Amino acid sequence: MQKKISVVDSDETQKTVPLLADTAGFATDEDGTCPIREVLDRVGDTWSLLVILNLQQGTVRFNALRRLIEGISQRMLTVTLRSLERDGLVLRIVRPTSPPEVEYSLTPLGMSLAKPIDSLGQWAVDNRHMMREERARFDAQQ
């Protein structure tokens, strides 16, 4: 059974939350890796989430995807797509035209990231203002 701890949130309400150190996502595997670290290494970089976000609604050609993601270079988009493809999150389709058309889409595994990413996004919406206030408070004390 998963352990929980009691915490008091910002409005002084006591609630319980999972003890993360005891969850399977943070346990070390037999090969010495931690599942959450492995996943965060992939989706926690600068560009992967933006690629996933832009592929969620359907197949996109390389240059169109590059235009959708402000600030990404051609090389960085190539590296990011290759890594996402290697991890089974993105499917690369090459159409035998001249020049070849290359399209990208999310795999079912890539699509399954929508729910946890949405949860994190909702947490950000709910708590960003408190983080900003705490940051300003901290900075004022320094």
Side-chain angles (χ1 to χ4, degrees), residues 81-102:
L81 285 165
R82 189 168 293 144
S83 295
L84 291 168
E85 181 184 12
R86 180 175 180 246
D87 287 340
L89 302 173
V90 166
L91 177 64
R92 179 177 184 260
I93 301 164
V94 180
R95 303 223 182 272
T97 60
S98 183
E101 291 179 11
V102 182

PDB file of all heavy atoms in Angstrom, residues 81-102:
ATOM      1  N   LEU A  81      13.176  15.313 -32.474  1.00  0.00           N
ATOM      2  CA  LEU A  81      12.299  14.333 -33.122  1.00  0.00           C
ATOM      3  C   LEU A  81      12.935  12.948 -33.139  1.00  0.00           C
ATOM      4  O   LEU A  81      12.258  11.944 -32.898  1.00  0.00           O
ATOM      5  CB  LEU A  81      11.968  14.790 -34.547  1.00  0.00           C
ATOM      6  CG  LEU A  81      10.959  15.926 -34.640  1.00  0.00           C
ATOM      7  CD1 LEU A  81      10.978  16.536 -36.032  1.00  0.00           C
ATOM      8  CD2 LEU A  81       9.560  15.448 -34.263  1.00  0.00           C
ATOM      9  N   ARG A  82      14.212  12.884 -33.401  1.00  0.00           N
ATOM     10  CA  ARG A  82      14.910  11.598 -33.423  1.00  0.00           C
ATOM     11  C   ARG A  82      14.864  10.924 -32.043  1.00  0.00           C
ATOM     12  O   ARG A  82      14.628   9.723 -31.929  1.00  0.00           O
ATOM     13  CB  ARG A  82      16.349  11.781 -33.890  1.00  0.00           C
ATOM     14  CG  ARG A  82      17.042  10.449 -34.132  1.00  0.00           C
ATOM     15  CD  ARG A  82      18.347  10.611 -34.866  1.00  0.00           C
ATOM     16  NE  ARG A  82      18.081  11.082 -36.222  1.00  0.00           N
ATOM     17  CZ  ARG A  82      18.853  11.929 -36.889  1.00  0.00           C
ATOM     18  NH1 ARG A  82      19.958  12.380 -36.351  1.00  0.00           N
ATOM     19  NH2 ARG A  82      18.549  12.306 -38.101  1.00  0.00           N
ATOM     20  N   SER A  83      15.066  11.709 -31.004  1.00  0.00           N
ATOM     21  CA  SER A  83      15.009  11.160 -29.640  1.00  0.00           C
ATOM     22  C   SER A  83      13.600  10.694 -29.293  1.00  0.00           C
ATOM     23  O   SER A  83      13.423   9.627 -28.700  1.00  0.00           O
ATOM     24  CB  SER A  83      15.464  12.211 -28.628  1.00  0.00           C
ATOM     25  OG  SER A  83      16.809  12.530 -28.816  1.00  0.00           O
ATOM     26  N   LEU A  84      12.601  11.476 -29.650  1.00  0.00           N
ATOM     27  CA  LEU A  84      11.217  11.090 -29.380  1.00  0.00           C
ATOM     28  C   LEU A  84      10.829   9.855 -30.190  1.00  0.00           C
ATOM     29  O   LEU A  84      10.091   8.993 -29.709  1.00  0.00           O
ATOM     30  CB  LEU A  84      10.274  12.258 -29.681  1.00  0.00           C
ATOM     31  CG  LEU A  84      10.376  13.447 -28.722  1.00  0.00           C
ATOM     32  CD1 LEU A  84       9.625  14.652 -29.283  1.00  0.00           C
ATOM     33  CD2 LEU A  84       9.872  13.080 -27.343  1.00  0.00           C
ATOM     34  N   GLU A  85      11.325   9.767 -31.409  1.00  0.00           N
ATOM     35  CA  GLU A  85      11.071   8.584 -32.240  1.00  0.00           C
ATOM     36  C   GLU A  85      11.749   7.357 -31.629  1.00  0.00           C
ATOM     37  O   GLU A  85      11.157   6.277 -31.547  1.00  0.00           O
ATOM     38  CB  GLU A  85      11.586   8.825 -33.659  1.00  0.00           C
ATOM     39  CG  GLU A  85      11.338   7.661 -34.598  1.00  0.00           C
ATOM     40  CD  GLU A  85      11.934   7.878 -35.979  1.00  0.00           C
ATOM     41  OE1 GLU A  85      12.741   8.816 -36.190  1.00  0.00           O
ATOM     42  OE2 GLU A  85      11.602   7.076 -36.870  1.00  0.00           O
ATOM     43  N   ARG A  86      12.977   7.517 -31.187  1.00  0.00           N
ATOM     44  CA  ARG A  86      13.731   6.414 -30.584  1.00  0.00           C
ATOM     45  C   ARG A  86      13.012   5.859 -29.357  1.00  0.00           C
ATOM     46  O   ARG A  86      13.012   4.662 -29.111  1.00  0.00           O
ATOM     47  CB  ARG A  86      15.123   6.909 -30.200  1.00  0.00           C
ATOM     48  CG  ARG A  86      15.997   5.850 -29.577  1.00  0.00           C
ATOM     49  CD  ARG A  86      17.403   6.377 -29.342  1.00  0.00           C
ATOM     50  NE  ARG A  86      18.212   5.351 -28.736  1.00  0.00           N
ATOM     51  CZ  ARG A  86      18.703   5.421 -27.506  1.00  0.00           C
ATOM     52  NH1 ARG A  86      18.483   6.480 -26.758  1.00  0.00           N
ATOM     53  NH2 ARG A  86      19.429   4.429 -27.022  1.00  0.00           N
ATOM     54  N   ASP A  87      12.376   6.746 -28.585  1.00  0.00           N
ATOM     55  CA  ASP A  87      11.654   6.329 -27.384  1.00  0.00           C
ATOM     56  C   ASP A  87      10.230   5.864 -27.672  1.00  0.00           C
ATOM     57  O   ASP A  87       9.473   5.558 -26.744  1.00  0.00           O
ATOM     58  CB  ASP A  87      11.625   7.475 -26.368  1.00  0.00           C
ATOM     59  CG  ASP A  87      12.978   7.701 -25.720  1.00  0.00           C
ATOM     60  OD1 ASP A  87      13.818   6.780 -25.750  1.00  0.00           O
ATOM     61  OD2 ASP A  87      13.194   8.793 -25.171  1.00  0.00           O
ATOM     62  N   GLY A  88       9.850   5.842 -28.942  1.00  0.00           N
ATOM     63  CA  GLY A  88       8.528   5.335 -29.299  1.00  0.00           C
ATOM     64  C   GLY A  88       7.397   6.314 -29.101  1.00  0.00           C
ATOM     65  O   GLY A  88       6.228   5.923 -29.109  1.00  0.00           O
ATOM     66  N   LEU A  89       7.711   7.597 -28.963  1.00  0.00           N
ATOM     67  CA  LEU A  89       6.677   8.606 -28.732  1.00  0.00           C
ATOM     68  C   LEU A  89       6.217   9.279 -30.017  1.00  0.00           C
ATOM     69  O   LEU A  89       5.102   9.794 -30.092  1.00  0.00           O
ATOM     70  CB  LEU A  89       7.196   9.666 -27.754  1.00  0.00           C
ATOM     71  CG  LEU A  89       7.639   9.127 -26.390  1.00  0.00           C
ATOM     72  CD1 LEU A  89       8.300  10.222 -25.572  1.00  0.00           C
ATOM     73  CD2 LEU A  89       6.481   8.506 -25.651  1.00  0.00           C
ATOM     74  N   VAL A  90       7.081   9.262 -31.036  1.00  0.00           N
ATOM     75  CA  VAL A  90       6.787   9.914 -32.315  1.00  0.00           C
ATOM     76  C   VAL A  90       7.022   8.923 -33.446  1.00  0.00           C
ATOM     77  O   VAL A  90       7.951   8.122 -33.408  1.00  0.00           O
ATOM     78  CB  VAL A  90       7.683  11.162 -32.485  1.00  0.00           C
ATOM     79  CG1 VAL A  90       7.673  11.673 -33.910  1.00  0.00           C
ATOM     80  CG2 VAL A  90       7.256  12.262 -31.533  1.00  0.00           C
ATOM     81  N   LEU A  91       6.159   9.003 -34.441  1.00  0.00           N
ATOM     82  CA  LEU A  91       6.287   8.189 -35.645  1.00  0.00           C
ATOM     83  C   LEU A  91       6.740   9.089 -36.789  1.00  0.00           C
ATOM     84  O   LEU A  91       6.175  10.161 -37.008  1.00  0.00           O
ATOM     85  CB  LEU A  91       4.937   7.549 -35.988  1.00  0.00           C
ATOM     86  CG  LEU A  91       4.875   6.714 -37.258  1.00  0.00           C
ATOM     87  CD1 LEU A  91       5.788   5.494 -37.128  1.00  0.00           C
ATOM     88  CD2 LEU A  91       3.452   6.303 -37.538  1.00  0.00           C
ATOM     89  N   ARG A  92       7.760   8.649 -37.507  1.00  0.00           N
ATOM     90  CA  ARG A  92       8.291   9.385 -38.658  1.00  0.00           C
ATOM     91  C   ARG A  92       7.874   8.645 -39.918  1.00  0.00           C
ATOM     92  O   ARG A  92       8.127   7.455 -40.067  1.00  0.00           O
ATOM     93  CB  ARG A  92       9.808   9.448 -38.578  1.00  0.00           C
ATOM     94  CG  ARG A  92      10.476  10.173 -39.718  1.00  0.00           C
ATOM     95  CD  ARG A  92      11.988  10.207 -39.462  1.00  0.00           C
ATOM     96  NE  ARG A  92      12.684  10.973 -40.463  1.00  0.00           N
ATOM     97  CZ  ARG A  92      13.332  10.440 -41.491  1.00  0.00           C
ATOM     98  NH1 ARG A  92      13.382   9.129 -41.649  1.00  0.00           N
ATOM     99  NH2 ARG A  92      13.947  11.213 -42.355  1.00  0.00           N
ATOM    100  N   ILE A  93       7.245   9.374 -40.833  1.00  0.00           N
ATOM    101  CA  ILE A  93       6.789   8.787 -42.091  1.00  0.00           C
ATOM    102  C   ILE A  93       7.465   9.532 -43.240  1.00  0.00           C
ATOM    103  O   ILE A  93       7.375  10.761 -43.322  1.00  0.00           O
ATOM    104  CB  ILE A  93       5.259   8.894 -42.240  1.00  0.00           C
ATOM    105  CG1 ILE A  93       4.578   8.180 -41.079  1.00  0.00           C
ATOM    106  CG2 ILE A  93       4.798   8.339 -43.574  1.00  0.00           C
ATOM    107  CD1 ILE A  93       3.126   8.530 -40.921  1.00  0.00           C
ATOM    108  N   VAL A  94       8.153   8.786 -44.099  1.00  0.00           N
ATOM    109  CA  VAL A  94       8.802   9.375 -45.276  1.00  0.00           C
ATOM    110  C   VAL A  94       8.006   8.958 -46.502  1.00  0.00           C
ATOM    111  O   VAL A  94       7.837   7.773 -46.767  1.00  0.00           O
ATOM    112  CB  VAL A  94      10.270   8.907 -45.402  1.00  0.00           C
ATOM    113  CG1 VAL A  94      10.911   9.536 -46.629  1.00  0.00           C
ATOM    114  CG2 VAL A  94      11.053   9.242 -44.146  1.00  0.00           C
ATOM    115  N   ARG A  95       7.514   9.933 -47.246  1.00  0.00           N
ATOM    116  CA  ARG A  95       6.760   9.668 -48.469  1.00  0.00           C
ATOM    117  C   ARG A  95       7.737   9.731 -49.647  1.00  0.00           C
ATOM    118  O   ARG A  95       8.496  10.694 -49.780  1.00  0.00           O
ATOM    119  CB  ARG A  95       5.660  10.682 -48.643  1.00  0.00           C
ATOM    120  CG  ARG A  95       4.720  10.713 -47.443  1.00  0.00           C
ATOM    121  CD  ARG A  95       3.295  10.794 -47.836  1.00  0.00           C
ATOM    122  NE  ARG A  95       2.433  10.872 -46.683  1.00  0.00           N
ATOM    123  CZ  ARG A  95       1.937   9.827 -46.038  1.00  0.00           C
ATOM    124  NH1 ARG A  95       2.226   8.632 -46.453  1.00  0.00           N
ATOM    125  NH2 ARG A  95       1.154   9.972 -44.993  1.00  0.00           N
ATOM    126  N   PRO A  96       7.722   8.725 -50.515  1.00  0.00           N
ATOM    127  CA  PRO A  96       8.688   8.651 -51.622  1.00  0.00           C
ATOM    128  C   PRO A  96       8.335   9.601 -52.770  1.00  0.00           C
ATOM    129  O   PRO A  96       7.956   9.191 -53.856  1.00  0.00           O
ATOM    130  CB  PRO A  96       8.610   7.189 -52.053  1.00  0.00           C
ATOM    131  CG  PRO A  96       7.218   6.785 -51.707  1.00  0.00           C
ATOM    132  CD  PRO A  96       6.844   7.565 -50.473  1.00  0.00           C
ATOM    133  N   THR A  97       8.456  10.883 -52.488  1.00  0.00           N
ATOM    134  CA  THR A  97       8.251  11.898 -53.523  1.00  0.00           C
ATOM    135  C   THR A  97       9.594  12.553 -53.797  1.00  0.00           C
ATOM    136  O   THR A  97      10.591  12.232 -53.166  1.00  0.00           O
ATOM    137  CB  THR A  97       7.230  12.954 -53.044  1.00  0.00           C
ATOM    138  OG1 THR A  97       7.737  13.571 -51.858  1.00  0.00           O
ATOM    139  CG2 THR A  97       5.871  12.340 -52.765  1.00  0.00           C
ATOM    140  N   SER A  98       9.615  13.477 -54.720  1.00  0.00           N
ATOM    141  CA  SER A  98      10.853  14.179 -55.002  1.00  0.00           C
ATOM    142  C   SER A  98      10.627  15.675 -54.812  1.00  0.00           C
ATOM    143  O   SER A  98       9.895  16.276 -55.602  1.00  0.00           O
ATOM    144  CB  SER A  98      11.300  13.903 -56.438  1.00  0.00           C
ATOM    145  OG  SER A  98      12.526  14.530 -56.685  1.00  0.00           O
ATOM    146  N   PRO A  99      11.177  16.292 -53.803  1.00  0.00           N
ATOM    147  CA  PRO A  99      11.966  15.704 -52.710  1.00  0.00           C
ATOM    148  C   PRO A  99      11.056  14.931 -51.748  1.00  0.00           C
ATOM    149  O   PRO A  99       9.843  15.140 -51.733  1.00  0.00           O
ATOM    150  CB  PRO A  99      12.576  16.932 -52.017  1.00  0.00           C
ATOM    151  CG  PRO A  99      11.608  18.036 -52.273  1.00  0.00           C
ATOM    152  CD  PRO A  99      11.012  17.750 -53.635  1.00  0.00           C
ATOM    153  N   PRO A 100      11.642  14.050 -50.941  1.00  0.00           N
ATOM    154  CA  PRO A 100      10.829  13.252 -50.018  1.00  0.00           C
ATOM    155  C   PRO A 100      10.080  14.137 -49.014  1.00  0.00           C
ATOM    156  O   PRO A 100      10.618  15.131 -48.535  1.00  0.00           O
ATOM    157  CB  PRO A 100      11.860  12.386 -49.282  1.00  0.00           C
ATOM    158  CG  PRO A 100      13.088  12.441 -50.103  1.00  0.00           C
ATOM    159  CD  PRO A 100      13.059  13.730 -50.854  1.00  0.00           C
ATOM    160  N   GLU A 101       8.834  13.778 -48.762  1.00  0.00           N
ATOM    161  CA  GLU A 101       8.049  14.464 -47.735  1.00  0.00           C
ATOM    162  C   GLU A 101       8.200  13.686 -46.436  1.00  0.00           C
ATOM    163  O   GLU A 101       8.022  12.468 -46.424  1.00  0.00           O
ATOM    164  CB  GLU A 101       6.566  14.496 -48.111  1.00  0.00           C
ATOM    165  CG  GLU A 101       6.234  15.374 -49.286  1.00  0.00           C
ATOM    166  CD  GLU A 101       4.752  15.349 -49.615  1.00  0.00           C
ATOM    167  OE1 GLU A 101       3.958  14.821 -48.801  1.00  0.00           O
ATOM    168  OE2 GLU A 101       4.393  15.841 -50.680  1.00  0.00           O
ATOM    169  N   VAL A 102       8.536  14.390 -45.369  1.00  0.00           N
ATOM    170  CA  VAL A 102       8.688  13.746 -44.071  1.00  0.00           C
ATOM    171  C   VAL A 102       7.628  14.315 -43.135  1.00  0.00           C
ATOM    172  O   VAL A 102       7.515  15.532 -42.977  1.00  0.00           O
ATOM    173  CB  VAL A 102      10.100  13.960 -43.495  1.00  0.00           C
ATOM    174  CG1 VAL A 102      10.248  13.236 -42.163  1.00  0.00           C
ATOM    175  CG2 VAL A 102      11.156  13.469 -44.476  1.00  0.00           C
TER     176      VAL A 102
END
